[in-house]
Amino acid sequence: MTTTTLVGYATANGSTRGIAERIAASLTARGVEVDLRALSEVDSVQAYDTLVLGSAVHNGQWLPEAVDAITRFGTTQTGRATWAYSVCSVGATSSTLSPRVARYLRRAMPEPDAVQELRAVTEVRDHRFFAGSITPGDWPGFGRFVFRLMGGRYGDARDWRDIDAWSEGIGRDVTPGLR
């Protein structure tokens, strides 16, 4: 049985797209048929058995194009194996912020509303936070000052080993006969 998986993403500056590409490559290597697409380009999820949906997080929420997609898909998501990921300054295993600030935020960071909306219409098997990459222009004006106060460091904080391990877990669930 061939499983078709949508790896959908919404990105602001390319970091989330890079994570989506890595997830798609991992699933493809396991023999999963993958459709990698920006969520703004997806009209329906009817053709997919599995959904892996992610977005950059700004001000604690998924980007508007990701939220619009979740709304647009509505209850057609029901019954599909679904995983979600959020890309922000603080991931589960890495961060662009100081270790102390990251530890605090990991405990206090709520799940974005869009992920909660997904949970309302389908079983989200897992939601994972990943740190992204950041450049000085990504936090405008006063935000740069706040970023620096929180011990922020510019650069790529994506933990590829964590992303690969998460992707491999999805692959094992999607292709149980190929463990």
Side-chain angles (χ1 to χ4, degrees):
M1 178 180 143
T2 302
T3 299
T4 305
T5 299
L6 170 65
V7 177
Y9 64 90
T11 191
N13 297 306
S15 187
T16 305
R17 182 183 61 242
I19 291 171
E21 290 168 347
R22 187 75 168 236
I23 293 168
S26 174
L27 294 174
T28 299
R30 285 191 68 81
V32 177
E33 184 178 324
V34 173
D35 190 7
L36 173 67
R37 299 189 49 202
L39 286 170
S40 61
E41 299 172 357
V42 179
D43 295 323
S44 170
V45 293
Q46 295 284 16
Y48 305 106
D49 304 302
T50 306
L51 306 174
V52 181
L53 308 175
S55 176
V57 173
H58 288 186
N59 297 316
Q61 299 303 322
W62 276 16
L63 297 178
E65 55 267 34
V67 174
D68 291 345
I70 300 306
T71 302
R72 190 171 58 251
F73 302 158
T75 58
T76 62
Q77 299 162 105
T78 304
R80 286 168 174 71
T82 303
W83 284 263
Y85 64 98
S86 299
V87 181
C88 56
S89 298
V90 178
T93 60
S94 62
S95 176
T96 61
L97 304 178
S98 76
R100 187 170 143 225
V101 171
R103 271 191 307 277
Y104 170 77
L105 290 176
R106 283 184 188 110
R107 289 190 307 268
M109 203 163 39
E111 204 169 64
D113 292 346
V115 176
Q116 293 174 26
E117 288 176 36
L118 268 174
R119 289 187 188 283
V121 295
T122 194
E123 177 194 348
V124 175
R125 295 189 180 182
D126 191 26
H127 170 247
R128 184 82 167 172
F129 281 100
F130 296 117
S133 61
I134 187 164
T135 64
D138 293 342
W139 286 53
F142 186 69
R144 278 194 296 272
F145 176 71
V146 172
F147 179 72
R148 299 305 279 174
L149 277 178
M150 293 188 300
R153 296 172 318 279
Y154 297 113
D156 191 344
R158 292 175 288 188
D159 181 345
W160 296 113
R161 285 188 296 180
D162 183 42
I163 294 162
D164 290 343
W166 192 72
S167 302
E168 289 166 12
I170 295 169
R172 282 190 300 275
D173 281 355
V174 172
T175 57
L178 300 176
R179 291 191 190 268

